Amino acid sequence: MPAARPLAVAIMGPTASGKTAAALEIARRIPSEIISVDSALVYRGMDVGTAKPNPEELAEAPHHLIDIIDPADAYSAMQFRQDALRLVMEIAARGKLPLLVGGTMLYFKVLRDGLDELPQADPALRARLDEEAARVGMPAMHAKLATLDPASAARLKPNDSQRIQRALEITLLTGQPMSSLLSQKAAEPLPFDLLPLALEPSDRAVLHDRIALRFDLMLGGGALEREVQTLRARGDLHLGLPSMRCVGYRQMWEYLDGAIDAGEMREKGIAATRQLAKRQLTWLRSMPDRIVIDCNRASATEEVLAEVEKALAGRAAV
């Protein structure tokens, strides 16, 4: 008799660790649908620079939460949680295996633990903070946060613009430090079982080589000429938006602004992607129940598939 609670598989890992390849291989063997757990893939018109699955890959299995909003708009972690919970149950009801695939670790955390009740974004206040940041610089905004909310400022790096702005926004909206509003509530139980698989490198230098290669392929694939120039020409996008803060896009935008040359753009883009991978691995290490698979091994994809098949077999035997 099948288990009452459906199973969903989380395929997590840093950028360039082979998550998409593993998910597609599972979908070829087991009827599955893929839910993207990537804060960059939600944006339409941002394909090459986000390493979005190509049309052939998208055709191999149904994909969800890709190309769902315009780059001028925002998509929150709570919106992701609501969408992902609904999609997992709908996919399971169709008799397919839900695969949650991506590298936005905050999304995975919010999915499993829920999110503290914090105020929604205030567009007018956010615009004022963006204008102030452009005028005085992010280190000054970090210093401002340190006076209003020392605990949050100590947790954030001075160049973490998105989180600094959000912490300031919450503090100014509520009159209380964001750190004091964060509750210690228990994790909200999921309505399904989750198999957490993490593709992690045994040798980070190999991952760094993959990141550099991917960035060069992205540039060669038209990310600058076809995508960023087109987005910039719209006139309604700017570097303060979450979409344009995606790694690679910010550096290409700065190059088009004349702030850096082509060599600096490539160097800064690769460095930013490596920093992203470092943060992703730090998030993963905070998930002690994950099953780690070395993404440097040639057999990594087959190992992911074997873990999924083992989990399914164990449930069928119950």
Side-chain angles (χ1 to χ4, degrees), residues 48-49 216-229 252:
V48 179
D216 287 337
L217 290 173
M218 178 188 76
L219 291 175
L224 177 65
E225 297 85 357
R226 289 212 317 265
E227 288 191 352
V228 180
Q229 283 188 347
M252 287 184 279

Side-chain angles (χ1 to χ4, degrees), residues 237-242 244-245 249-251 253-254 257:
L237 302 178
H238 54 83
L239 286 178
L241 292 168
M244 295 300 102
R245 286 198 290 260
Y249 286 85
R250 171 184 287 277
Q251 291 76 28
W253 191 290
E254 290 174 345
D257 276 346

Side-chain angles (χ1 to χ4, degrees), residues 154-168:
R155 183 173 54 84
L156 300 175
K157 293 184 178 179
N159 62 350
D160 194 345
S161 59
Q162 191 168 354
R163 291 183 176 86
I164 291 171
Q165 298 283 73
R166 178 60 175 153
L168 283 168

